[in-house]
Amino acid sequence: MKEPVITALDFEKTIAEVEEKITRLKQLELSDGLDIETEISRLQKKLDRLFKHLYARLTPWQKTLVARHPARPHCLDYVSGLIENFEPLCGDRTFADDPAMAGGIGRFRGRSVMVIGQEKGSDLDSRVRYNFGMAKPEGYRKAQRLMDLADKFKLPVLAFVDTSGAFPGIEAEERGQAQAIASGIEKCLNLKVPFISTIIGEGGSGGAIAVAAANRVLMLEHSVYSVISPEGCASILWRSADKVKEATEALCLTAQDLRRLGVIDEIIAEPVGGAQRHHTEIIARVGDVMERHLKELESQTGDDLKKKRMEKFLKMGRHLAKSE
């Protein structure tokens, strides 16, 4: 898999400068036949140190920016890298198909599975086509239809979560967005097959949990998962966009915070520099972790899977009620 061209984030300026120097030296070496390997090696070591130092100390807001990086692998990248013989399934059988919610049947390391996930797109044209990963009611109803199929044919469900939230447009509200999300969460909780959901970028609001109320919720190290976006939280609580960093801190939306709170089950470590710089490695790593959890869940009966999933989320509610 070809690694993408990376645009440096604002806090990566020093890294971008060193990367640019390395690129220039490599071009100079190729054009003039100069032997400058020693200098390139020195700069590469410096770059590695900068990455390790910076990514070990990311603030919640910086993690949010990394989670939103357009070059991070998206749902269909994971499908392409992990799912063989993938057959897309379209439509909610009520209104229309929603490209923002991808789904279909395929084989994951020898097992037939149902795959569901939000797709953001990788360039301007595809982002518009996929509505930036913001699903409409027909997308959530399609997800429910695929879950019903998975239940009927005893297929494990693998979900890839990556959305800033459900589409907030008036047409979505007219077609029952809130009901579609609520019934989607109910469908997740009632499945009698193994269900693993992985937050690969943003896990935003009910738009995420409608495909993330799973037996095992996994989360990439630099992904975020929250009831509302930092910008939305700042506008509601402080009525100011200037408070977005404070909102990010208050939301406890990082993988480390959520693991401590028991909201997610495992953090999947990202290569130094983030998933956006290492597509092949992170996709393989996610596959290994999913396979391990799937093996653990396959030994349980359908009734046990449903019961334990229900208990897991009820326990979160009881814990939060006691802490208030």
Side-chain angles (χ1 to χ4, degrees):
M1 181 181 293
K2 184 179 179 181
E3 301 295 349
V5 176
I6 301 298
T7 301
L9 297 167
D10 288 344
F11 63 86
E12 295 179 323
K13 287 181 179 178
T14 305
I15 286 173
E17 290 171 0
V18 177
E19 286 180 324
E20 186 177 357
K21 287 179 182 179
I22 292 173
T23 300
R24 286 179 178 177
L25 284 174
K26 287 180 177 179
Q27 290 173 344
L28 184 64
E29 184 180 38
L30 288 172
S31 62
D32 296 346
L34 299 175
D35 183 10
I36 47 179
E37 283 299 322
T38 301
E39 180 62 13
I40 292 175
S41 178
R42 185 188 70 81
L43 287 173
Q44 189 61 55
K45 289 177 181 177
K46 179 180 179 180
L47 183 63
D48 292 341
R49 289 196 301 271
L50 286 171
F51 269 127
K52 289 178 182 178
H53 178 80
L54 181 60
Y55 272 76
R57 294 167 175 78
L58 292 179
T59 66
W61 175 241
Q62 288 171 337
K63 281 184 176 286
T64 303
L65 296 177
V66 174
R68 293 172 174 175
H69 199 294
R72 280 176 81 84
H74 299 305
C75 173
L76 293 180
D77 294 315
Y78 286 92
V79 171
S80 176
L82 296 174
I83 309 299
E84 297 178 350
N85 303 322
F86 180 68
E87 187 65 36
L89 298 174
C90 300
D92 66 344
R93 300 299 185 266
T94 300
F95 181 76
D97 183 50
D98 185 353
M101 186 69 75
I105 294 175
R107 293 187 68 79
F108 171 65
R109 298 187 176 179
R111 302 169 179 83
S112 294
V113 296
M114 182 68 73
V115 182
I116 300 169
Q118 293 106 348
E119 173 60 36
K120 282 186 171 181
S122 56
D123 55 34
L124 182 58
D125 288 341
S126 62
R127 286 174 197 141
V128 171
R129 184 167 70 253
Y130 294 122
N131 201 32
F132 298 86
M134 296 184 293
K136 298 173 183 177
E138 50 269 26
Y140 292 105
R141 293 186 178 115
K142 174 168 75 172
Q144 293 170 52
R145 183 174 74 83
L146 300 190
M147 290 182 200
D148 281 336
L149 281 175
D151 236 2
K152 180 177 181 179
F153 294 107
K154 308 303 179 187
L155 302 175
V157 176
L158 304 180
F160 296 97
V161 178
D162 190 15
T163 181
S164 59
F167 181 62
I170 188 170
E171 65 269 35
E173 299 300 333
E174 289 173 342
R175 295 200 294 272
Q177 183 74 288
Q179 189 276 339
I181 291 172
S183 59
I185 296 170
E186 182 182 27
K187 184 69 66 178
C188 290
L189 294 174
N190 283 296
L191 285 175
K192 291 188 176 183
V193 293
F195 183 12
I196 298 172
S197 187
T198 306
I199 299 157
I200 57 176
E202 285 186 277
S205 191
I209 199 171
V211 290
N215 294 100
R216 303 288 166 83
V217 181
L218 315 176
M219 190 169 174
L220 266 62
E221 181 182 2
H222 302 310
S223 292
V224 294
Y225 189 26
S226 175
V227 68
I228 191 173
S229 71
E231 293 86 350
C233 179
S235 67
I236 292 171
L237 296 185
W238 286 280
R239 298 180 185 277
S240 172
D242 295 336
K243 295 292 185 179
V244 67
K245 292 183 180 179
E246 288 87 339
T248 311
E249 296 276 352
L251 285 167
C252 294
L253 46 62
T254 69
Q256 295 73 25
D257 286 329
L258 295 167
R259 182 69 186 92
R260 174 176 53 83
L261 293 168
V263 175
I264 64 170
D265 299 290
E266 184 173 340
I267 298 172
I268 302 175
E270 297 186 27
V272 176
Q276 65 271 20
R277 289 181 169 85
H278 306 276
H279 279 207
T280 303
E281 184 175 349
I282 193 61
I283 289 172
R285 192 174 295 182
V286 167
D288 291 341
V289 177
M290 288 197 310
E291 183 178 27
R292 170 163 49 82
H293 282 281
L294 192 53
K295 285 179 179 178
E296 294 172 3
L297 293 171
E298 284 175 331
S299 62
Q300 301 178 31
T301 67
D303 288 334
D304 283 342
L305 288 166
K306 176 182 173 180
K307 180 180 178 182
K308 289 179 180 180
R309 193 185 307 120
M310 286 276 196
E311 289 175 346
K312 170 184 175 178
F313 285 91
L314 287 171
K315 183 180 178 181
M316 290 182 202
R318 295 189 195 103
H319 173 75
L320 291 172
K322 288 179 181 179
S323 64
E324 289 180 350

